[in-house]
Amino acid sequence: MPRAKIWGFIAVFLSVFLLAFVIYAIFIGKNDHAIPVDLNAIGVMTYYSMAAPLLLISLFVLGIGFWIGWTIITIKVVPPMPEIVEKNDYSKIKAAVLCAVTLAAALMLVYGFYLRAYWALAIPAAVISLVVLGAVFWVGIAIITTRSTLPKGKEES
Amino acid sequence: MKICLLSYRGNPYCGGQGIYLMYLAEEFVRQGHEVHVIVGPPYPREVEGVTIHRLSNHNYFNKKSDFIKPHKPFATYQPLNFYEFVSSKMGIFPEIETFSFRVFMKLKELMKTHRFDVIHDNQCLGYGFMLIKLLGVPFVSTIHHPLSIDRSTWFEYPSDFGIKMKRVLYYPLIMQKFVSNRMDRIVTVSYDSAREITNAFGVPDKKISVVYNGMDPSIFYPLKGIRKKKNSLIFVGNVEDRKKGISYLLKSLTLTRHDVHLTIVDGGAPNRNYVPSWITKFGLNHKITFTGKIPIEQLIRLYSETEVALSPSIYEGFGFPAAEAMACELPVITSTGGALPEVVGEHMKTGYFVPTRDAQAIAEGIDFLLDHPDIRRSMGKAARERVLKVFTWQNAAKEMVRIYEEAIDAHR
């Protein structure tokens, strides 16, 4: 098997293992040690060094969601030519829902961050991990399934 | 002068960017300047005297699969590529931004052996340019038109929430606004575009210079001895580009008195999504022919065989197709959208103007010109004269060098 494919398999297995580990650790096995996770027991510096980056990234992503909805609601354009309209356009309503959901999620996140709630950190951490590891998995699969058209000698350069 | 031109795409056969890049580069060389071009794929053709530095990418945005290069299987795990991969899968168009960082790295390498007098970007405006500014070379950028116009024209066509969301994510307007305000000079291709740049990005008037595009009269000229096809019309452009006003053009064909035939020169079948169904809806299948991508010689022949060209765009920063048709002595029915009046010139003399989004007016224009062959002929001749006089790459390059000199002086 070409070396590239071996590394592709390693990337796939590693990402699947880490994904499973993240899901287990955050959602299933969090109370393994009988004592529930208590972020109030962590020192201020430790808590903020973990929580602040997660909060900023989460707010950034939610901000993008809000901005998309807001743009769709507020953009002023000429209505489409009636002859080419095939179905009703509910995008402004959906955009309003998106704005409301992202705003509510952001408020809940900030409040959870203030309360040092476990889920305020766990959910963003899980989502970020899933996105990054999901992408590693995707690329790994692509490496495994890519058919090389190069001469044999050049395959592993 | 030692000039470094940047362009994240360099295809010289379609889209204004590649044409602009290569004609300017050629003209600079002709005027005695040293020209380097740093360009992303699709790459331009080789030009004598121009040093081309190719910056490859994986085209993650357009390639749904097969994005792994067999000779570089792990390239996607490199940080910049991985960022490009993840963001393009989320619907963002990261090519512009990642190109700007790749250019920075390339320039750092090139600057060890070359001292450029000026760097000139061609509508990239990525965050990486903030790093390029640290290299201490005057930095100019051309904005053909602000992409906010593309976004709003997309929104005025029927679509759903998913499509609109994709369009909001697609256009890097926040980045381009941020970067354009930090460039030494902004060049644009028409006075209308200059106004739009000020409106959209807040770039002050005094920082923007207008340099009209050129037109190559040795490529675009009327072929002799070709018979015009009766009631023939031509439209050149991407039919799925919402700025082009194709829906109004299609409707106008249902309103004309003449039995017209429209030839559409576009990018080919993969680039057609909505328009074929609109054609069917308007009952125009027998009146329209798509050519797809064709060689330039065939396009010139088509222009020579056709009676009237149409450019009903809602907006154009310049409008190459209108100018090309004019150079081929074709009367052009054009809308008053964007810079088209600046390019086409005078109503009833060098072109026939109609208001934007007005199918009835387009139909009246078609009927009028088809009824008056003498006016068509004189309009075509006046149009070519105007193009030869106003839109030359020689003038464009000279004017650009003057802007470079100003930027260099201001930089000292």
Side-chain angles (χ1 to χ4, degrees), chain B residues 219-228 296-305 327-329:
Chain B
I219 290 183
F220 292 98
Y221 61 92
L223 296 178
K224 301 288 170 210
I226 305 272
R227 242 181 102 179
K228 299 268 185 197
I296 204 95
E297 300 77 24
Q298 205 179 324
L299 176 62
I300 310 305
R301 194 175 172 85
L302 266 177
Y303 275 135
S304 302
E305 286 172 351
C328 293
E329 283 191 6

Side-chain angles (χ1 to χ4, degrees), chain B residues 90-388:
Chain B
M90 290 177 169
I92 296 165
F93 181 61
E95 190 181 317
I96 294 177
E97 189 183 357
T98 50
F99 176 80
S100 70
F101 286 102
R102 289 189 183 110
V103 164
F104 167 68
M105 290 183 270
K106 186 74 193 174
L107 273 169
K108 242 175 75 175
E109 182 195 316
L110 285 176
M111 296 281 276
K112 287 177 190 161
T113 47
H114 300 275
R115 178 73 208 170
F116 294 116
D117 295 305
V118 67
I119 301 170
H120 183 171
D121 155 58
N122 188 12
Q123 190 136 9
C124 173
L125 299 165
Y127 286 125
F129 284 9
M130 296 298 94
L131 296 171
I132 294 175
K133 285 211 79 181
L134 299 177
L135 298 173
V137 181
F139 200 1
V140 175
S141 184
T142 293
I143 303 178
H144 295 269
H145 67 265
L147 295 177
S148 50
I149 292 166
D150 297 69
R151 190 177 73 181
S152 33
T153 47
W154 257 96
F155 271 56
E156 70 171 80
Y157 274 76
S159 57
D160 55 29
F161 178 68
I163 293 173
K164 286 184 179 174
M165 200 167 88
K166 279 183 189 163
R167 296 330 286 186
V168 175
L169 273 173
Y170 179 84
Y171 294 111
L173 297 178
I174 295 173
M175 177 179 75
Q176 293 200 329
K177 182 177 181 173
F178 178 86
V179 178
S180 60
N181 277 286
R182 283 154 184 82
M183 300 300 288
D184 294 324
R185 284 296 281 268
I186 295 293
V187 178
T188 190
V189 294
S190 66
Y191 288 94
D192 187 84
S193 190
R195 274 191 297 278
E196 292 295 343
I197 291 165
T198 304
N199 290 342
F201 293 159
V203 179
D205 291 346
K206 59 175 190 231
K207 212 174 169 183
I208 305 175
S209 306
V210 175
V211 178
Y212 283 133
N213 287 330
M215 184 55 50
D216 189 342
S218 65
I219 290 183
F220 292 98
Y221 61 92
L223 296 178
K224 301 288 170 210
I226 305 272
R227 242 181 102 179
K228 299 268 185 197
K229 287 182 184 161
K230 199 168 166 13
N231 297 339
S232 53
L233 311 171
I234 188 168
F235 169 89
V236 179
N238 176 5
V239 287
E240 295 295 337
D241 182 342
R242 300 295 187 251
K243 295 193 305 296
K244 302 289 179 187
I246 191 80
S247 60
Y248 300 96
L249 171 57
L250 296 180
K251 191 179 175 184
S252 75
L253 298 187
T254 65
L255 304 171
T256 51
R257 280 186 284 105
H258 294 79
D259 184 20
V260 294
H261 188 90
L262 173 68
T263 302
I264 296 180
V265 182
D266 67 344
N271 301 315
R272 290 174 213 137
N273 297 319
Y274 296 90
V275 173
S277 66
W278 296 347
I279 291 172
T280 307
K281 204 170 218 181
F282 284 118
L284 293 169
N285 282 309
H286 62 292
K287 286 190 173 187
I288 294 176
T289 307
F290 282 97
T291 65
K293 218 174 252 181
I294 53 171
I296 204 95
E297 300 77 24
Q298 205 179 324
L299 176 62
I300 310 305
R301 194 175 172 85
L302 266 177
Y303 275 135
S304 302
E305 286 172 351
T306 307
E307 293 194 314
V308 177
L310 294 145
S311 185
S313 298
I314 294 166
Y315 184 85
E316 287 286 352
F318 182 77
F320 270 120
E324 286 168 5
M326 289 167 75
C328 293
E329 283 191 6
L330 215 55
V332 184
I333 297 175
T334 178
S335 73
T336 49
L340 283 169
E342 274 177 72
V343 172
V344 178
E346 212 177 307
H347 179 53
M348 291 302 289
K349 196 176 168 199
T350 49
Y352 187 102
F353 288 103
V354 294
T356 50
R357 303 182 183 87
D358 192 339
Q360 183 63 46
I362 299 170
E364 284 166 14
I366 293 169
D367 286 333
F368 176 81
L369 285 177
L370 292 180
D371 284 339
H372 297 89
D374 292 347
I375 294 178
R376 277 204 315 267
R377 218 165 295 127
S378 61
M379 197 179 274
K381 287 204 185 302
R384 181 166 166 83
E385 268 171 38
R386 174 174 168 77
V387 169
L388 296 184

Side-chain angles (χ1 to χ4, degrees), chain A residues 7 75 78 80 83 89 91 136, chain B residues 74 77 152 155-156 164 251:
Chain A
W7 282 105
I75 200 163
V78 177
E83 289 89 336
D89 180 6
S91 56
V136 172
Chain B
F74 305 113
Y77 287 134
S152 33
F155 271 56
E156 70 171 80
K164 286 184 179 174
K251 191 179 175 184

Side-chain angles (χ1 to χ4, degrees), chain A residues 107-118:
Chain A
L107 290 173
M108 277 168 64
L109 196 70
V110 172
Y111 187 58
F113 175 78
Y114 169 72
L115 292 180
R116 295 196 178 196
Y118 171 79

